[in-house]
Amino acid sequence: MADEMGHPEPDEMEIGTIFAALADPIRRRIVLALMADRDGIRHCSAFDLPVTKATRTHHFRVLREAGLIRQVDLGNSRTNQLRWADLEQRFPDLLRLLAAEAGAAE
């Protein structure tokens, strides 16, 4: 069962939901930025995204509810961290494939 922020447990993560979240180029950009800093935690405002604040919030919600990121509410802001261990446990090599695909597209 998802927690109060909407983070699903690893066994609740669904590949179709993850693929749908990653289908959007803005969301892939967020995930790839978090992958570049494997242990990093970034505030929502730390991403250079060409969208409004409301759209940015939507993208982070989709990623959170798919299980790709973990967010921590700090009151007036949130931090984001890629759920490496959970994703590797549930879908081994998914992140490696995403990175390889992004590298091939450059």
Side-chain angles (χ1 to χ4, degrees):
M1 184 169 173
D3 66 12
E4 68 280 350
M5 289 276 298
H7 302 104
E9 293 296 323
D11 63 341
E12 296 174 319
M13 293 177 186
E14 297 179 0
I15 195 71
T17 305
I18 288 176
F19 284 160
L22 292 172
D24 184 275
I26 298 284
R27 293 193 287 266
R28 275 196 315 276
R29 183 173 168 178
I30 293 167
V31 170
L32 290 168
L34 290 170
M35 288 175 68
D37 187 15
R38 184 171 180 149
D39 297 320
I41 297 173
R42 295 174 80 176
H43 284 71
C44 295
S45 60
F47 296 89
D48 183 27
L49 303 175
V51 296
T52 65
K53 185 177 179 182
T55 302
R56 178 187 305 249
T57 299
H58 166 74
H59 286 306
F60 283 109
R61 181 181 55 80
V62 170
L63 292 170
R64 181 183 68 243
E65 290 177 354
L68 287 158
I69 64 170
R70 177 163 307 282
Q71 289 191 304
V72 175
D73 192 350
L74 302 176
N76 62 351
S77 68
R78 288 186 177 171
T79 60
N80 304 280
Q81 186 172 28
L82 192 63
R83 293 178 65 181
W84 280 97
D86 292 339
L87 288 163
E88 276 299 309
Q89 172 192 342
R90 181 78 169 120
F91 304 110
D93 293 328
L94 174 67
L95 294 175
R96 183 184 60 77
L97 292 170
L98 179 63
E101 187 273 335
E106 291 178 355

